[in-house]
Amino acid sequence: MSNLVQKFQQYSGWRDDVKNSLQRYRDCVKGIDLADGASDQRFMHMLARLNEDKLSIAFVAEFSRGKSELINAIFFADYGQRILPTSAGRTTMCPTELLYDETFPPSIRLLPIETRAEAQSTSDFKSQSQVWTVLPLDISSGDGMLEAFKQVSLTKRVPVEEAALYGLYDETDLDMAMGVDENGMVEISQWRHAIVNFPHPLLQQGLVIIDTPGLNAIGTEPELTLNLIPNAHAVLFILAADTGVTKSDIDIWRNHIGGTGAGRLVVLNKIDSMWDELRSPAEVEEQINMQIGNVAQTLGIGERQIFPVSAQKGLVGKINLDAPLLAKSRLPALESALSNELIPAKQDIIRAQLMTEVKELAASKQALLSSRSRNVVEQLLELKSLRGKNQTILDHMMKRIDMEKTEFDGSLFKLQATRSVFTRLSNEVFTHLGMGVLKDNIRKTRDAMESSKFSAGLRMAVKEFFQQALTNLHLSAEKTDEIGEMMSVMYRKFSTEHGLALSAPMPFSLEKYMKEIDMIEKLYHKQFGAATILTTPQVVLMQKFFDSIASRVKQSFLQANRDVEAWLKVVMAPLEAQIGEHKLQLKRRRKSIEKIHMATDSLEEKVQAFEQMQADLEAQKTELKRLENELKAAILAQLGLYKAAA
């Protein structure tokens, strides 16, 4: 088993451990009557985050760099043969996602290239099942799967005008012009996008493999430029050791990958082309190191980011159980880099998100238990002080409780006014964040782009779209800040005036969505910012990109809407829970004194009952704290260590 497979299995096991601990904590909260709608929503949100957690790796290369062979060598060697087709020339003609979704049978879903003529992105089409061509995948037959995978390499010839309509032909590109036959036909991919639903063990555990076509497709398919590649947790950029860095390689790196992050690795494939029986091992090593240095200098990265491998020899070594050949291929070094950098980095992201949620949830539940415990102690002291008291004292105590209740009801009346302001501000948040406003902005931008005859007009329309999207987010953020400040005032008021154990309300920010919109705009400028005058094919391509830009922004706004709705439901929940608890305790205190007023012989029974309640609450606090610590320990565990320590 490779280090990468082992590490990913550990990561999957870690998620399962966290889910189990979270479920035990949730059961305890429910068992001691601390559950409410807000906390239930939080539990569901955390469980959904763990269940839907994906880890995506994008493989990017020009054709004939051995990309498909590398995927075979890393992930599919256990099948004893190639699963992705490999041959001279292009084998991947459309972006392909390999994943597992248990709601679909094993299959290949193919999106026809004709959909590029419509004003919708690939992401938009993913929810439209009727548009896709679906082919069954026989996972019991390696040969059958190989034949099915060949679908992604299918092409067809269409008139130049049709290819231009899809944004796939540019008459100023000499290479494209040379591809036009005597009938005015040009070769294009038969499919726009492919999704392979395959129950491979790693895919079942949340891995997503993104197989990309060459430079031309990366430059013309917005889904790759704006979504799949930027959002991948790791990008493997594959070069060929025998050719080094070509001009098209440099274009891909600078325009679509770049960066020096841990998730950006360069693979120098086909080092077996340098193996030469007439050279000593030291001379071969020197030649490989020289090529690594050249690549590092050309791409402007450190040599530690570059991994020389032979994917083909690595695959053969794995299939034939030839350990020396596998070691010579250097594939294990690349797999170790992926497992030691990518997976722990992904775990850190999920860990930080979960810890924030758990700390806030646990603090609110402990505060509620403490409030219950404090009220029981107060009632117990109150009851013990009644020993030997006459009826006049009892009457006085009931009047004092009634006075407390009157003061508390006065605060609740003021809270009702706050609730009405809360509702008004909540509606104002969605006035700017609502999907209707965004759709109107998208429509206006499309109309402006279609009516503009000049490059400047096209760019201005898109610029105004981004400005409006950011303005709407800023206006919504001002309202959420206002709500947060108002709730802070109410929390402090009830804490100081009525002794409720309340910490600051849950904070909220829309900043990450502003950064996301800013990132999308930068990707757009990277694609279209250089040329002063746009050619007709570039105009068509810009319109295709705007379709994907609109889809990405729409996804951001949808998620922002969900996050705001979730926050609005929970921001007042701790206050309302403590208010409910305080009202209940006031009612219980008065009822206890009333009973003692009527029958003094029940005083000792009441004292004993409250002493038992106090003991039970202390036991509940201890158990809840134990499960909270267990949950935090599961979240903070390093990969491979939790089960041993548990």
Side-chain angles (χ1 to χ4, degrees):
M1 183 188 295
S2 72
N3 189 26
L4 176 61
V5 173
Q6 186 178 22
K7 206 78 165 183
F8 205 91
Q9 288 177 343
Q10 290 174 356
Y11 179 65
S12 181
W14 170 78
R15 280 189 309 219
D16 289 340
D17 289 332
V18 174
K19 281 191 283 188
N20 291 335
S21 294
L22 185 61
Q23 193 59 57
R24 286 193 290 272
Y25 184 80
R26 182 184 188 181
D27 290 342
C28 182
V29 167
K30 188 175 181 181
I32 57 180
D33 198 27
L34 290 177
D36 53 48
S39 62
D40 284 344
Q41 186 179 48
R42 277 194 159 182
F43 281 122
M44 293 298 292
H45 180 68
M46 285 188 279
L47 287 168
R49 188 191 297 278
L50 289 163
N51 287 326
E52 297 168 7
D53 180 38
K54 301 290 184 184
L55 193 150
S56 59
I57 303 178
F59 289 74
V60 181
E62 261 292 29
F63 65 92
S64 295
R65 300 293 189 265
K67 170 174 50 65
S68 296
E69 190 78 318
L70 184 62
I71 296 174
N72 281 325
I74 294 177
F75 299 106
F76 300 127
D78 289 345
Y79 286 87
Q81 67 175 80
R82 293 183 175 93
I83 296 300
L84 295 185
T86 60
S87 60
R90 301 190 182 205
T91 55
T92 304
M93 290 298 295
C94 68
T96 304
E97 293 178 78
L98 288 83
L99 48 81
Y100 182 64
D101 182 347
E102 61 183 10
T103 61
F104 288 95
S107 59
I108 297 182
R109 300 170 64 209
L110 299 156
L111 184 65
I113 196 68
E114 288 77 12
T115 57
R116 285 182 65 96
E118 300 181 39
Q120 293 188 73
S121 71
T122 301
S123 295
D124 293 329
F125 281 115
K126 284 183 177 179
S127 61
Q128 303 174 34
S129 58
Q130 75 281 0
V131 181
W132 297 73
T133 297
V134 182
L135 301 176
L137 193 61
D138 183 3
I139 60 175
S140 64
S141 168
D143 291 333
M145 285 198 297
L146 182 60
E147 283 302 312
F149 274 101
K150 286 182 179 178
Q151 286 288 329
V152 301
S153 62
L154 294 182
T155 61
K156 64 180 183 179
R157 302 193 75 81
V158 298
V160 166
E161 296 78 18
E162 185 177 342
L165 176 66
Y166 302 152
L168 299 176
Y169 181 78
D170 183 351
E171 72 271 8
T172 63
D173 187 320
L174 295 180
D175 290 336
M176 286 189 181
M178 289 176 64
V180 181
D181 64 20
E182 64 276 8
N183 298 317
M185 308 285 276
V186 65
E187 185 181 37
I188 63 172
S189 172
Q190 186 167 322
W191 309 109
R192 180 179 182 180
H193 197 85
I195 299 175
V196 181
N197 194 44
F198 178 35
H200 182 281
L202 288 180
L203 302 183
Q204 287 177 314
Q205 293 168 24
L207 177 68
V208 177
I209 300 169
I210 301 163
D211 187 9
T212 65
L215 172 64
N216 188 51
I218 291 176
T220 57
E221 181 46 69
E223 185 73 8
L224 287 171
T225 306
L226 297 171
N227 192 6
L228 293 178
I229 293 176
N231 290 334
H233 300 102
V235 176
L236 268 61
F237 183 48
I238 299 115
L239 306 171
D242 52 354
T243 59
V245 187
T246 66
K247 182 180 181 302
S248 60
D249 290 327
I250 294 173
D251 288 339
I252 295 177
W253 178 261
R254 290 179 179 171
N255 296 325
H256 304 292
I257 305 172
T260 56
R264 301 293 183 263
L265 305 179
V266 175
V267 179
L268 194 59
N269 194 19
K270 302 186 179 181
I271 60 169
D272 51 293
S273 65
M274 297 181 176
W275 298 351
D276 189 338
E277 293 178 358
L278 298 180
R279 289 194 183 103
S280 69
E283 289 173 325
V284 172
E285 183 72 18
E286 183 181 356
Q287 190 178 15
I288 292 173
N289 288 336
M290 194 187 330
Q291 192 71 300
I292 291 172
N294 291 336
V295 171
Q297 184 176 4
T298 304
L299 298 183
I301 59 174
E303 293 186 7
R304 293 184 62 185
Q305 276 182 262
I306 302 170
F307 293 84
V309 303
S310 170
Q312 192 268 335
K313 300 304 180 188
L315 178 62
V316 172
K318 284 186 174 184
I319 290 174
N320 294 335
L321 303 179
D322 186 339
L325 181 61
L326 179 59
K328 191 177 181 182
S329 75
R330 303 198 190 189
L331 188 65
L334 173 61
E335 292 177 333
S336 292
L338 283 171
S339 61
N340 293 331
E341 295 183 20
L342 167 65
I343 297 175
K346 173 63 172 170
Q347 186 193 27
D348 286 343
I349 295 170
I350 298 295
R351 176 188 286 133
Q353 293 169 338
L354 289 173
M355 281 301 290
T356 300
E357 293 261 13
V358 168
K359 285 178 179 177
E360 290 172 352
L361 182 64
S364 68
K365 297 309 174 189
Q366 286 290 348
L368 199 53
L369 265 185
S370 296
S371 176
R372 284 184 187 177
S373 183
R374 186 176 62 253
N375 279 312
V376 168
V377 170
E378 288 174 358
Q379 290 182 69
L380 188 57
L381 291 173
E382 202 168 46
L383 289 171
K384 287 180 177 178
S385 70
L386 295 177
R387 287 169 172 155
K389 303 295 184 185
N390 58 31
Q391 299 295 328
T392 305
I393 297 294
L394 293 172
D395 288 337
H396 174 73
M397 293 185 74
M398 281 197 290
K399 287 179 182 177
R400 194 179 71 188
I401 292 171
D402 289 339
M403 191 180 300
E404 274 188 55
K405 186 177 181 304
T406 301
E407 290 176 359
F408 193 67
D409 288 342
S411 295
L412 291 181
F413 183 75
K414 292 177 183 176
L415 181 62
Q416 287 302 326
T418 301
R419 279 199 178 99
S420 65
V421 177
F422 179 87
T423 302
R424 176 179 60 78
L425 290 173
S426 298
N427 291 333
E428 289 177 6
V429 171
F430 294 109
T431 299
H432 307 291
L433 198 62
M435 299 308 296
V437 175
L438 178 62
K439 287 176 181 176
D440 188 50
N441 189 14
I442 291 171
R443 181 186 54 76
K444 287 179 180 176
T445 306
R446 281 202 177 107
D447 290 345
M449 291 178 73
E450 287 176 9
S451 62
S452 177
K453 294 183 173 64
F454 302 100
S455 302
L458 288 166
R459 288 196 175 94
M460 182 56 67
V462 179
K463 181 181 179 181
E464 288 177 356
F465 169 78
F466 281 116
Q467 286 178 340
Q468 188 60 56
L470 284 171
T471 298
N472 287 340
L473 282 171
H474 280 293
L475 290 170
S476 295
E478 288 176 3
K479 297 301 176 184
T480 57
D481 289 345
E482 197 173 340
I483 291 170
E485 182 56 36
M486 180 180 70
M487 293 311 304
S488 294
V489 171
M490 290 307 298
Y491 272 50
R492 287 194 295 269
K493 175 181 174 61
F494 276 87
S495 293
T496 54
E497 293 182 7
H498 304 288
L500 303 190
L502 289 163
S503 54
M506 179 182 173
F508 182 78
S509 173
L510 286 168
E511 185 179 357
K512 71 174 182 177
Y513 295 105
M514 297 175 196
K515 289 181 178 177
E516 194 169 306
I517 301 301
D518 186 55
M519 181 271 291
I520 297 169
E521 185 174 13
K522 285 177 180 175
L523 289 171
Y524 156 76
H525 283 303
K526 209 171 187 180
Q527 190 77 13
F528 297 102
T532 306
I533 303 298
L534 296 173
T535 64
T536 300
Q538 286 175 318
V539 169
V540 173
L541 194 56
M542 180 187 277
Q543 290 171 334
K544 300 296 174 199
F545 264 73
F546 181 72
D547 293 339
S548 283
I549 286 168
S551 179
R552 273 295 304 275
V553 173
K554 203 184 297 179
Q555 290 172 21
S556 294
F557 268 63
L558 274 171
Q559 190 56 54
N561 272 267
R562 292 191 194 104
D563 286 353
V564 170
E565 286 173 5
W567 177 69
L568 291 174
K569 287 177 182 176
V570 302
V571 70
M572 202 179 278
L575 176 61
E576 290 180 330
Q578 293 250 11
I579 286 172
E581 189 69 28
H582 193 71
K583 286 170 70 177
L584 183 62
Q585 295 302 335
L586 284 173
K587 187 176 179 181
R588 284 175 178 169
R589 282 172 60 193
R590 196 182 196 291
K591 191 173 288 186
S592 294
I593 296 174
E594 279 178 356
K595 286 184 178 180
I596 294 164
H597 191 285
M598 301 297 294
T600 54
D601 59 345
S602 67
L603 175 58
E604 291 306 318
E605 292 178 6
K606 279 285 179 186
V607 168
Q608 290 175 9
F610 272 89
E611 285 176 341
Q612 184 58 50
M613 285 174 62
Q614 185 182 15
D616 291 344
L617 281 169
E618 288 302 315
Q620 289 173 2
K621 286 173 70 175
T622 301
E623 178 63 7
L624 192 64
K625 191 65 180 177
R626 183 187 71 79
L627 290 170
E628 175 194 331
N629 291 336
E630 179 190 283
L631 175 56
K632 288 179 178 177
I635 294 171
L636 293 173
Q638 297 299 316
L639 293 182
L641 298 181
Y642 178 66
K643 285 187 180 296

